[in-house]
Amino acid sequence: EPEVTQTPSHQVTQMGQEVILRCVPISNHLYFYWYRQILGQKVEFLVSFYNNEISEKSEIFDDQFSVERPDGSNFTLKIRSTKLEDSAMYFCASSGRGTIYEQYFGPGTRLTVT
Amino acid sequence: GQSLEQPSEVTAVEGAIVQINCTYQTSGFYGLSWYQQHDGGAPTFLSYNALDGLEETGRFSSFLSRSDSYGYLLLQELQMKDSASYFCAVRDSGNTPLVFGKGTRLSVIA
C-alpha cells in the first residue's frame, strides 16, 4: 500500500540553525501539506502546495518557513532560523484529486530545538 | 475562521459503543472529516461526511447534521486498540485546508 514517508524521524538542532524536513508524498497525489503538532495539542495546518506553488498558508507559516518540491518526488519544509517554540512534531500529508478531505499523513519528524 | 468543539476525554468499556461529538462554526462548509491518532503516531483518515446522514465503515460510523453544525463519530464493539485520540476536521470551502479540532482522547478499559 502506498504511503507518505518522512526523514529524519527525529531532528535535534540548536536555536538559530536552519533545518530541512523531507517528505516523499504518495506518487499520484497532487496536493501536499505540512502540519505541526506540539506535544499533547491539536494538529495545526502550516501550508498546502499544489501545482508547484503554495495554495494556502496559516499565520504560523511566516517568513522563516519555506516549502519546495525540488523534483518529482520530494517535498521539503525549511525553517531558516529555528526558535525554541518550533519544537514540535511535523507531519507531511498528501491527497489526491477530488479527495482533499482524505489526507494521508507521514509518520512525522520530531523537531527538538535546544 | 473556523472553530470546532469536541470533548477532551472519553472513557468506555471494551465491547461497548461510544459516541464522540463535534460541533463546528465555519463561514462556509465543505465537509466534516474524522481522523484517528495513536500516541506517537500520525493521524489516519477514518471517514468523511459532506451530506447529512450516517456513513458506516465497519465498526465505525460518522454522522452529520449540517443544520445543527454537528457531527459525531460512533465506535461500536470497542476494542483496546481503539484507545487513541480522535480529531474532527472541517473545511469551509473547496480550496481551504483542513482545520482540526483539539481532539478527544478515548480510553478503552477492560
Side-chain angles (χ1 to χ4, degrees), chain A residues 57-77:
Chain A
K57 60 182 180 179
S58 71
E59 293 176 351
I60 302 169
F61 194 87
D62 61 21
D63 291 345
Q64 293 300 311
F65 291 87
S66 63
V67 290
E68 195 175 44
R69 188 154 164 83
D71 53 43
S73 59
N74 290 283
F75 180 51
T76 63
L77 174 70

Side-chain angles (χ1 to χ4, degrees), chain A residues 37 42-43 45 101-103 105-106, chain B residues 35 37 42-43 45 48 97 101:
Chain A
Q37 186 176 34
K42 67 176 181 178
V43 177
F45 169 77
Y101 55 86
E102 183 176 352
Q103 298 182 11
F105 283 72
Chain B
Y35 285 76
Q37 186 179 31
F45 173 78
Y48 171 70

Side-chain angles (χ1 to χ4, degrees), chain B residues 20-101:
Chain B
I20 299 173
N21 299 320
C22 175
T23 57
Y24 58 86
Q25 285 187 314
T26 58
S27 51
F29 181 74
Y30 215 75
L32 181 71
S33 302
W34 288 93
Y35 285 76
Q36 177 192 61
Q37 186 179 31
H38 286 99
D39 285 348
T44 56
F45 173 78
L46 290 177
S47 68
Y48 171 70
N49 295 71
L51 302 176
D52 291 350
L54 193 68
E55 295 282 341
E56 297 182 66
T57 309
R59 293 189 298 114
F60 293 2
S61 303
S62 57
F63 172 82
L64 175 66
S65 169
R66 288 174 297 169
S67 60
D68 296 321
S69 297
Y70 163 75
Y72 65 72
L73 180 69
L74 190 74
L75 296 86
Q76 303 182 69
E77 301 173 19
L78 281 173
Q79 301 174 9
M80 301 299 286
K81 67 179 183 179
D82 296 330
S83 293
S85 291
Y86 293 84
F87 295 87
C88 56
V90 295
R91 289 185 299 139
D92 63 8
S93 80
N95 295 318
T96 54
L98 281 175
V99 174
F100 285 79

Side-chain angles (χ1 to χ4, degrees), chain A residues 8-20:
Chain A
S9 57
H10 192 186
Q11 174 88 49
V12 181
T13 189
Q14 289 189 327
M15 194 168 52
Q17 295 297 303
E18 173 183 288
V19 293
I20 297 176

Side-chain angles (χ1 to χ4, degrees), chain A residues 4-56:
Chain A
V4 177
T5 60
Q6 290 185 242
T7 53
S9 57
H10 192 186
Q11 174 88 49
V12 181
T13 189
Q14 289 189 327
M15 194 168 52
Q17 295 297 303
E18 173 183 288
V19 293
I20 297 176
L21 311 183
R22 302 179 192 281
C23 167
V24 179
I26 293 173
S27 62
N28 62 348
H29 281 182
L30 300 175
Y31 299 87
F32 314 116
Y33 315 86
W34 283 101
Y35 294 87
R36 79 171 186 191
Q37 186 176 34
I38 295 170
L39 188 63
Q41 298 187 23
K42 67 176 181 178
V43 177
E44 298 177 291
F45 169 77
L46 292 177
V47 65
S48 59
F49 194 85
Y50 171 71
N51 201 26
N52 286 317
E53 60 183 23
I54 291 174
S55 49
E56 293 283 337

